């Protein structure tokens, strides 16, 4: 995954270096700007069994700030925000690989350095008894639930 | 053997006779005795499904999930047209301007349509409202839901957009949508059960060419559709995966 490009960033940004589960790193720029969730919509994406994005809907593209061609074929951690604790995603992967549904509040990083909060559900796509990929469906969270998740994630990161 | 056919109770009452006409057409075309049973509630229809009393069904997306995943049904066609969307409706003069204005204790009028209610509850989540802090009034029909709102007996109501748009201008004038879903993914589908599995190709071909005859076109029109379109099995599986996330 390429580092983020400062030319894409809108607003005052702080630089972070993210280290992913596989050990690779990425330089990201983060601004405090939140994009409000589009009322009434679902943000949907699908991945293969490795978490590579294979399909996404127009709301997903719009909220991420990327073009569709920049998203398809990329690992889903392209959207990982440095405020998200690694443990949340470990739990996600353990749950869906075991064939169960995972739910959680997620803060996602946009191409422009801003973010958006979602309530996400990830399900395994089981076909003929085999997991062939995963689907994530996000919906609009309440401000109260986001505030609770924010506090919990801050504690999990130990800061 | 008599085949049992049913239709999701979400269609307007005026169309009851049109579904009987559709059934007669289907029986003739397949040379098969088909009994159409129209249940007046989702609960009664669910019970019939559980008892194995349904072989053919024009189902709402939620029942379709259950039938495909647990009962061995296969989706063969869907009507051309926009997908199913729902709205949270309030009185035109009601105080709430957006969902987040709704407070704990909000009085909700809804039908027993599982599809509308599930999506409706998701639309209330941004206000931090759920089963624990809303007061629910179950009504038999969508029009009764609208009447509760008009009489001020409920603060919000759940309705399919299609039903809301179908109300008379007189009723709609005093109502307003606080939010409308734009899910774009869930649809009613025509499903064939295991009892008719060996004739499902024939049945599919019949539906997909229905609009080509004048008679077929007329029946479709009366039901509010132009034609049937094919559905890919994977598209239905994908819809079911999405629906499974909405139930949580
Ligand atoms: C279907 C699916 C959707 C996902 N959606 C997101 C997402 O929106 N944002 C995100 O940060 N991670 C998402 N993940 C998790 C990422 O794959 C990844 O685990 C996470 O970004 C953390 O990166 P890492 O596991 O490489 O450390 C998703 C995973 C799956 C299977």
């Amino acid at each position: 995954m390429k580092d983020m490009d400062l030319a894409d960033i809108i607003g005052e940004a702080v630089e972070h270096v993210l280290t992913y589960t596989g050990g690779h790193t990425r330089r990201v720029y983060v601004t405090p700007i939140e994009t409000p969730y589009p009322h009434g919509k679902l943000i949907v994406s699908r991945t293969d069994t490795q978490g590579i994005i294979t399909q996404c809907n127009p709301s997903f593209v719009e909220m991420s700030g990327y073009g569709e061609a920049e998203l398809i074929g990329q690992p889903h951690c392209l959207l990982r925000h440095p405020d998200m604790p690694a443990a949340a995603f470990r739990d996600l992967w353990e749950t869906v690989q075991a064939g169960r549904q995972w739910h959680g509040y997620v803060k996602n990083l946009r191409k422009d350095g801003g973010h958006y909060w979602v309530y996400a559900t990830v399900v395994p796509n089981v076909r003929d008894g085999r997991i062939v990929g995963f689907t994530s469906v996000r919906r609009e969270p309440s401000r109260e639930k986001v505030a609770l998740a924010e506090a919990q994630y801050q504690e999990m990161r130990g800061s | 053997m008599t085949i049992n056919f049913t239709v999701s109770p979400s269609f307007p009452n005026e169309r009851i006779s049109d579904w009987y006409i559709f059934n007669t057409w289907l029986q003739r075309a397949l040379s098969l005795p088909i009994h159409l049973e129209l249940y007046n509630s989702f609960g009664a229809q669910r019970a019939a499904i559980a008892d194995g009393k349904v072989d053919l069904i024009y189902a709402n997306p939620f029942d379709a999930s259950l039938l495909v995943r647990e009962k061995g049904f296969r989706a063969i066609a869907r009507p051309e047209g926009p997908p199913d969307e729902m709205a949270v409706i309030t009185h035109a003069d009601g105080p709430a301007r957006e969902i987040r204005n709704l407070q704990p204790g909000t009085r909700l009028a809804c039908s027993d349509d599982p599809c509308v209610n599930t999506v409706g509850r998701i639309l209330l989540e941004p206000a931090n409202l759920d089963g624990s802090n809303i007061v629910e009034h179950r009504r038999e029909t969508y029009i009764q839901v609208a009447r509760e709102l008009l009489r001020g007996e409920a603060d919000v109501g759940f309705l399919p957009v299609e039903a809301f748009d179908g109300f008379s201008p007189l009723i709609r004038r005093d109502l307003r949508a606080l939010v409308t879903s734009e899910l774009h993914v869930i649809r009613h589908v025509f499903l064939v059960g295991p009892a008719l599995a060996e004739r499902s190709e024939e049945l599919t071909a019949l539906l997909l060419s229905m609009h080509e005859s004048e008679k077929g076109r007329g029946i479709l029109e009366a039901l509010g559709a132009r034609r049937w379109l094919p559905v890919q099995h994977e598209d239905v599986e994908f819809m079911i995966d999405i629906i499974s996330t909405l139930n949580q």
Side-chain angles (χ1 to χ4, degrees):
Chain A
M1 237 183 323
K2 283 193 299 196
D3 286 341
M4 278 172 84
D5 188 345
L6 256 182
D8 296 324
I9 305 303
I10 298 170
E12 202 64 40
V14 177
E15 183 180 318
H16 290 260
V17 175
L18 281 177
T19 304
Y20 297 103
T21 309
H24 50 290
T25 59
R26 182 184 186 218
R27 190 183 312 276
V28 298
Y29 300 100
V30 173
T31 75
I33 301 169
E34 174 166 7
T35 301
Y37 194 103
H39 302 314
K41 296 194 184 188
L42 296 178
I43 299 176
V44 182
S45 64
R46 287 179 94 169
T47 72
D48 64 12
T49 53
Q50 307 302 307
I52 304 294
I53 301 171
T54 55
Q55 193 182 325
C56 48
N57 75 348
S59 305
F60 184 95
V61 175
E62 194 185 311
M63 288 300 279
S64 74
Y66 291 94
E68 187 172 354
E70 293 176 288
L71 292 164
I72 304 294
Q74 289 299 310
H76 222 308
C77 53
L78 183 72
L79 301 183
R80 177 164 168 205
H81 195 283
D83 289 352
M84 285 300 295
F89 294 115
R90 259 200 311 279
D91 180 48
L92 180 161
W93 278 101
E94 279 171 19
T95 307
V96 297
Q97 279 172 338
R100 289 181 281 119
Q101 291 200 356
W102 180 87
H103 318 274
Y105 294 87
V106 178
K107 184 178 191 176
N108 273 329
L109 181 61
R110 288 168 50 91
K111 183 182 183 179
D112 64 11
H115 66 272
Y116 57 100
W117 276 97
V118 299
Y119 175 66
T121 303
V122 183
V123 290
N125 306 133
V126 180
R127 306 288 184 268
D128 300 318
R130 269 190 334 120
I131 296 178
V132 298
F134 302 101
T135 297
S136 177
V137 178
R138 295 102 177 157
R139 49 201 217 226
E140 184 177 356
S142 69
R143 294 321 302 176
E144 291 86 344
K145 295 281 166 49
V146 167
L148 285 174
E150 218 161 11
Q152 189 196 355
Y153 292 159
Q154 200 166 34
E155 204 179 294
M156 285 166 78
R157 292 195 318 273
S159 56
Chain B
M1 181 181 72
T2 297
I3 292 297
N4 289 303
F5 172 45
T6 186
V7 177
S8 177
S10 35
F11 64 90
N13 272 339
E14 308 86 81
R15 295 212 174 124
I16 290 181
S17 57
D18 300 313
W19 278 110
Y20 278 99
I21 295 169
F22 175 88
N23 188 57
T24 306
W25 172 85
L26 195 62
Q27 290 197 79
R28 292 221 180 109
L30 286 176
S31 313
L32 197 71
I34 304 176
H35 168 70
L36 172 63
E37 183 78 45
L38 295 176
Y39 298 94
N40 54 19
S41 77
F42 287 88
Q45 191 176 67
R46 279 261 164 124
I49 291 170
D51 289 347
K53 287 190 198 144
V54 174
D55 306 307
L56 272 183
I57 179 169
Y58 179 60
N60 75 58
F62 281 58
D63 289 332
S65 300
L66 175 97
L67 289 159
V68 170
R69 288 273 160 95
E70 289 168 34
K71 303 276 178 193
F73 279 62
R74 230 186 134 81
I76 59 168
R78 67 167 178 89
E80 183 182 70
D84 296 347
E85 303 291 356
M86 322 304 160
V88 178
I89 307 289
T90 189
H91 195 286
D93 304 328
R97 303 316 298 181
E98 56 171 318
I99 287 292
R100 285 196 179 146
N101 300 148
L102 298 174
Q103 298 298 319
T106 291
R107 297 165 303 162
L108 163 71
C110 61
S111 65
D112 75 338
D113 183 331
C115 195
V116 181
N117 291 351
T118 303
V119 175
R121 273 194 291 274
I122 287 173
L123 294 172
L124 291 184
E125 281 174 353
N128 214 25
L129 293 177
D130 58 31
S132 72
N133 57 8
I134 51 181
V135 182
E136 186 181 297
H137 305 175
R138 281 281 168 129
R139 290 294 165 259
E140 299 264 309
T141 61
Y142 303 135
I143 194 74
Q144 287 174 10
V145 169
R147 286 208 191 99
E148 280 234 343
L149 295 170
L150 293 172
R151 286 197 296 255
E153 288 163 9
D155 306 305
V156 292
F158 292 161
L159 290 173
V161 169
E162 206 188 356
F164 180 61
D165 289 346
F167 288 159
S168 72
L170 207 64
I171 292 177
R172 263 183 305 155
R173 194 191 57 198
D174 291 328
L175 298 174
R176 165 167 62 88
L178 275 179
V179 67
T180 301
S181 73
E182 292 176 64
L183 313 183
H184 302 300
V185 280
I186 63 173
R187 301 176 169 278
H188 277 60
V189 282
F190 197 96
L191 299 153
V192 183
L196 263 186
E198 75 277 16
R199 296 194 70 176
S200 85
E201 265 179 42
E202 187 189 344
L203 188 53
T204 310
L206 198 60
L207 291 181
L208 297 187
S209 62
M210 189 173 176
H211 63 285
E212 288 165 12
S213 75
E214 205 171 308
K215 170 115 183 120
R217 229 180 0 256
I219 298 170
L220 279 167
E221 232 165 71
L223 291 172
R226 252 168 38 92
R227 59 182 295 185
W228 294 99
L229 292 177
V231 292
Q232 302 305 317
H233 190 61
E234 180 51 32
D235 291 343
V236 176
E237 290 282 355
F238 182 45
M239 176 178 94
I240 295 172
D241 283 336
I242 290 177
I243 288 172
S244 78
T245 73
L246 304 181
N247 284 319
Q248 307 299 319

